[in-house]
């Protein structure tokens, strides 16, 4: 039995495909935002929180925090953080707070775009600190298009940056506090 594709079926198929495309385009930001937040929660949030906890000692900042953020300066002052200026103390406190608060905001989907931009900036500064401050070697930095997808700085953090850029562009998506607050605000 032969099926003949009628010329009248083509416009119907085209209309269905266009409707499907419009539906996918309309759903994409909500789906990408939710999926991006879920991927972040499952893979990176714990990394940032663990890192932040190494910078806290009781109710204050640990020497480890200063050594992580200002390795050369700490070495120069024989690991006596009290010899660092006020700006260094503020940077360590702000960096520690960012590592604790920004992941939580992303997971909740609260101020998602701003938190994602903050995380993007944080990853850039963290990468520069690793390269300049800690003097990591070329194998840890990696190179693009080298067929080696596991360099801890360039390859991994480029993927992290893509995730944060996606969240900055799409927002928190479905099931986010941003969406809930926007709906409540628009009703008022």
């Amino acid at each position: 039995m032969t099926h003949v594709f009628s010329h009248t079926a083509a416009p119907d198929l085209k209309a269905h495909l266009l409707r499907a495309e419009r539906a996918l385009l309309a759903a994409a930001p909500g789906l990408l935002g939710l999926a991006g937040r879920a991927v972040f929660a499952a893979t990176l949030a714990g990394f940032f929180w663990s890192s932040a906890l190494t910078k806290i000692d009781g109710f204050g900042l640990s020497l480890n925090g200063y050594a992580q953020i200002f390795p050369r300066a700490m070495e120069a002052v024989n690991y006596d953080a009290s010899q660092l200026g006020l700006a260094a103390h503020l940077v360590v406190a702000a960096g520690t707070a960012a590592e604790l608060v920004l992941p939580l905001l992303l997971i909740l989907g609260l101020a998602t775009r701003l938190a994602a931009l903050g995380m993007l900036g944080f990853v850039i500064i963290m990468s520069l600190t690793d390269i300049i401050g800690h003097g990591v070697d070329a194998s840890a930095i990696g190179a693009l298009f080298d067929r080696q997808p596991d360099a801890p700085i360039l390859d991994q953090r480029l993927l992290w940056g893509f995730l944060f850029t996606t969240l900055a562009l799409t927002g928190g998506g479905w099931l986010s506090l941003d969406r809930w607050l926007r709906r409540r605000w628009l009703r008022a």
Side-chain angles (χ1 to χ4, degrees):
M1 178 180 219
T2 347
H3 292 281
V4 178
F5 185 73
S6 80
H7 69 296
T8 59
D12 289 340
L13 178 61
K14 183 178 177 183
H16 286 303
L17 289 173
L18 288 172
R19 277 195 297 276
E21 180 183 29
R22 282 193 294 274
L24 284 172
L25 287 173
L31 180 60
L32 285 173
L34 177 61
R37 290 178 31 242
V39 166
F40 174 77
T43 61
L44 291 175
F47 168 83
F48 286 103
W49 283 331
S50 294
S51 177
L53 293 177
T54 66
K55 296 174 180 72
I56 299 172
D57 185 14
F59 292 102
L61 298 170
S62 70
L63 287 178
N64 190 32
Y66 290 94
Q68 285 179 38
I69 296 173
F70 296 110
R72 293 182 184 192
M74 284 296 286
E75 187 176 349
V77 297
N78 203 27
Y79 296 93
D80 180 6
S82 67
Q83 293 185 35
L84 299 179
L86 177 63
H89 296 290
L90 292 174
V91 166
V92 173
T96 303
E99 274 188 309
L100 290 169
V101 174
L102 293 175
L104 180 62
L105 291 174
L106 285 179
I107 290 170
L108 295 174
L110 181 61
T112 306
R113 294 175 197 270
L114 186 60
L117 289 173
M119 288 300 298
L120 187 58
F122 190 89
V123 168
I124 290 168
I125 292 169
M126 180 175 81
S127 301
L128 291 173
T129 299
D130 286 343
I131 294 167
I132 298 166
H134 293 284
V136 298
D137 65 4
S139 67
I141 296 170
L144 295 177
F145 309 107
D146 63 356
R147 296 180 297 157
Q148 303 297 322
D150 59 350
I153 294 182
L154 190 58
D155 295 330
Q156 289 179 9
R157 294 180 190 172
L158 182 61
L159 287 171
W160 298 359
F162 180 78
L163 174 63
F164 297 136
T165 301
T166 300
L167 287 169
L169 293 173
T170 64
W174 300 327
L175 301 175
S176 67
L177 286 176
D178 290 337
R179 185 175 185 203
W180 181 79
L181 289 169
R182 188 178 319 106
R183 285 182 173 193
R184 286 190 53 104
W185 182 70
L186 290 175
R187 274 193 240 143

